[in-house]
């Protein structure tokens, strides 16, 4: 996933993966018995993803367009728009490099392997720390009338659900019902588009996100926070990204729960207990997949949430309880958003005031050699509060909750 190189100053940075791995390690991954830390995916899952599952999730025209766009890039290109349309619009927030398609395919392959492991009984739960994220990637470019692809190329969560429900005679796992619960701060329009554009009794898509029909943009479109949000595709005229598609539930296979302009822990907790749990229990899935976005954290630079890292752990535990009641605890998660990672390795040629060593996030050996993190000074200062608590701590609590639930079983 490191081959997906975004633009300087982008939210979705390569260092998110080393930070996620560090968070998982702090929860005991790779250190405690029965908590494996797997850093490779076999070629067989890559082939399964490329040849069989991705074409079921995304239209061939979208795949060909994305591949040709990336193949035409210079070898050293970085941060090039990948999902702009024929008029050059809609690509500014979804940038990448020559390795972007392979990175996205690895993310799908990892999700397929995780699904295979959980359904096959090798483990109760799995967290897939992959990038780029995927829940805004639909069957075609910019699904459900979104104005951009929101950092996303291929939809790993949707691909995992399709693999799980594909008949065994066709190379799948043969499950009857899969529930996807998305707690990213944005609605997963791509996942809804792929799995639930019309009612399909195999799938239930649940999303808790910022938004609502009563929201029509932001109070101060000239503010610094508004500029950050716009770069994810937000718009003062269209409401919170990806738009109105998450404000209502079109049929019984979708439960969209918009939570207003800012997502709070109390609202999420109330929605989980009063709406999500009963609906999931009624659906009775054979597997639960979490689209795990941590951008509703109180220190995330998007500024659209008020959750703590511990709150994300609590959300995960509630989801695990649903899984135990419905499907013997079988649950996996796929990383979506979450951008509160302080600068890890700035460029050597940029002078920064003060003592720069005091401002860096130390990731040790999890930060690959040669992975620079050229964060602009203003953005770097905005991320500084994430040293106390940010993306890394959210992942730690998420994985810790998974471990608790595994031990409980």
């Amino acid at each position: 996933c490191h081959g997906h190189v975004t633009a300087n100053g982008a939210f979705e940075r390569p260092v998110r993966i080393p930070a996620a791995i560090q968070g998982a390690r702090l929860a005991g991954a790779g250190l405690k018995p029965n908590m494996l830390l797997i850093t490779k995916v076999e070629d067989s899952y890559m082939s399964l993803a490329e040849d069989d599952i991705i074409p079921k999730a995304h239209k061939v025209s979208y795949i060909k367009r994305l591949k040709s766009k990336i193949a035409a890039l210079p070898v050293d290109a970085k941060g090039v728009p990948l999902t702009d349309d024929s008029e050059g619009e809609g690509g500014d927030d979804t940038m990448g490099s020559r390795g972007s398609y392979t990175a996205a395919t690895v993310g799908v392959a990892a999700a397929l392997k995780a699904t295979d492991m959980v359904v096959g009984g090798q483990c109760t739960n799995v967290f897939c720390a992959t990038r780029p994220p995927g829940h805004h990637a639909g069957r075609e470019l910019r699904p459900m009338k979104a104005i951009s692809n929101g950092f996303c190329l291929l939809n790993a969560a949707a691909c995992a659900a399709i693999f799980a429900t594909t008949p065994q005679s066709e190379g799948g796992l043969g499950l009857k019902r899969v529930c996807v619960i998305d707690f990213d701060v944005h609605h997963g329009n791509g996942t809804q588009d792929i799995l639930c554009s019309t009612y399909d009794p195999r799938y239930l898509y649940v999303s808790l996100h910022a938004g609502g029909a009563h929201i029509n943009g932001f109070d101060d479109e000239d503010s610094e926070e508004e500029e950050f949000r716009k770069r994810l595709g937000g718009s003062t005229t269209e409401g919170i990204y990806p738009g109105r598609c998450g404000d209502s539930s079109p049929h019984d296979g979708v439960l969209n729960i918009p939570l207003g302009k800012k997502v709070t822990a109390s609202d999420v907790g109330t929605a989980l207990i009063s709406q999500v749990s009963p609906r999931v229990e009624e659906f009775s899935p054979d597997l639960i997949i979490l689209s795990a976005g941590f951008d509703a954290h109180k220190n995330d630079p998007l500024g659209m949430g008020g959750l703590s890292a511990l709150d994300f752990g609590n959300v995960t535990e509630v989801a695990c309880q649903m899984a135990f009641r419905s499907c013997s605890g079988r649950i996996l998660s796929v990383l979506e958003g979450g951008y509160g990672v302080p600068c890890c390795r700035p460029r050597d040629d940029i002078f920064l005031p003060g003592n720069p060593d005091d401002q860096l996030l130390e990731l040790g050996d999890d930060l690959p050699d040669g992975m620079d993190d050229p964060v602009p000074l203003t953005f770097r200062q905005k991320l500084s509060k994430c040293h106390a608590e940010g993306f890394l701590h959210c992942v730690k609590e998420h994985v810790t909750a998974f471990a608790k639930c595994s031990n409980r079983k």
Side-chain angles (χ1 to χ4, degrees):
C1 296
H2 300 328
H4 176 61
V5 184
T6 50
N8 292 354
F11 279 102
E12 209 291 293
R13 295 144 54 207
V15 296
R16 294 178 69 231
I17 297 304
I21 293 173
Q22 182 88 174
R25 287 190 194 278
L26 291 173
L31 301 173
K32 294 181 179 180
N34 302 320
M35 286 190 69
L36 300 179
L37 181 62
I38 301 172
T39 57
K40 294 182 179 180
V41 62
E42 291 82 357
D43 290 342
S44 59
Y45 289 107
M46 290 291 290
S47 298
L48 177 65
E50 181 85 30
D51 300 334
D52 297 331
I53 303 301
I54 291 173
K56 291 180 179 179
H58 303 283
K59 286 193 173 182
V60 173
S61 57
Y62 172 78
I63 297 170
K64 287 183 175 179
R65 186 189 179 285
L66 191 58
K67 280 185 173 181
S68 61
K69 180 87 172 179
I70 291 171
L73 297 177
V75 175
D76 59 349
K78 299 178 181 179
V80 179
L82 301 179
T83 58
D84 49 328
D85 60 21
S86 58
E87 298 179 355
E89 298 295 329
D92 288 346
D93 67 357
T94 309
M95 300 184 177
S97 59
R98 279 286 289 272
S100 292
Y101 192 85
T102 299
T105 303
V106 169
V108 172
L112 300 185
K113 177 175 181 175
T115 306
D116 208 6
M117 292 176 69
V118 170
V119 174
Q122 294 175 254
C123 53
T124 304
N125 51 55
V126 178
F127 167 58
C128 300
T130 55
R131 59 177 292 276
H135 73 150
H136 297 309
R139 291 173 297 169
E140 298 185 89
L141 185 67
R142 295 174 1 213
M144 301 187 74
K145 300 181 180 180
I147 63 172
S148 72
N149 252 45
F151 306 161
C152 299
L153 299 179
L154 301 175
N155 195 319
C159 285
I162 290 171
F163 173 53
T165 55
T166 297
Q168 291 180 338
S169 60
E170 298 176 16
L173 300 179
L175 301 187
K176 293 182 179 180
R177 292 176 299 279
V178 172
C179 174
V180 178
I181 301 175
D182 189 334
F183 57 79
D184 187 278
V185 80
H186 299 96
H187 173 249
N189 55 314
T191 306
Q192 181 174 322
D193 177 60
I194 292 170
L195 301 179
C196 302
S197 58
T198 59
Y199 176 72
D200 187 328
R202 297 174 298 173
Y203 305 120
L204 172 64
Y205 175 68
V206 178
S207 179
L208 304 97
H209 53 270
H214 60 291
I215 295 175
N216 188 26
F218 301 97
D219 293 333
D220 181 5
E221 63 181 81
D222 296 323
S223 70
E224 182 182 17
E225 280 74 20
E226 173 63 6
E227 279 303 308
F228 280 120
R229 293 188 187 106
K230 280 182 178 179
R231 290 162 66 183
L232 187 54
S235 168
T236 56
T237 59
E238 298 295 332
I240 293 175
Y241 180 86
R244 303 298 182 192
C245 50
D247 291 347
S248 61
S249 303
H251 52 70
D252 286 345
V254 174
L255 177 59
N256 283 325
I257 307 175
L259 297 174
K261 184 177 288 190
K262 195 160 188 172
V263 175
T264 66
S266 60
D267 287 344
V268 170
T270 299
L272 284 172
I273 300 303
S274 65
Q275 297 184 67
V276 180
S277 290
R279 184 69 186 90
V280 172
E281 187 170 348
E282 177 187 6
F283 181 67
S284 188
D286 301 310
L287 173 70
I288 293 177
I289 298 172
L290 303 179
S291 269
F294 302 105
D295 41 4
H297 186 260
K298 60 186 178 182
N299 290 335
D300 192 274
L302 290 179
M304 297 173 66
L307 275 67
S308 68
L310 186 58
D311 290 330
F312 282 107
N314 293 335
V315 169
T316 306
E317 287 205 48
V318 172
C320 287
Q321 291 167 9
M322 297 181 208
F324 278 120
R325 289 194 295 268
S326 300
C327 48
S328 301
R330 295 190 297 198
I331 187 170
L332 65 99
S333 64
V334 177
L335 178 63
E336 301 289 358
Y339 311 103
V341 182
C343 182
C344 301
R345 183 182 285 154
R347 281 170 43 191
D348 294 335
D349 60 342
I350 297 179
F351 172 77
L352 294 172
N355 183 358
D357 292 333
D358 293 338
Q359 306 170 35
L360 300 182
L361 177 64
E362 178 55 54
L363 294 177
D365 293 338
D366 289 322
L367 184 64
D369 293 337
M371 180 181 283
D372 293 327
D373 190 28
V375 181
L377 180 58
T378 55
F379 190 24
R380 183 169 171 176
Q381 291 171 335
K382 189 176 184 66
L383 292 169
S384 62
K385 58 186 175 182
C386 296
H387 283 287
E389 184 175 292
F391 172 79
L392 183 154
H393 307 89
C394 294
V395 172
K396 175 189 173 185
E397 294 300 331
H398 178 64
V399 175
T400 297
F402 265 178
K404 287 180 181 177
C405 292
S406 294
N407 294 332
R408 194 171 299 154
K409 184 181 180 183

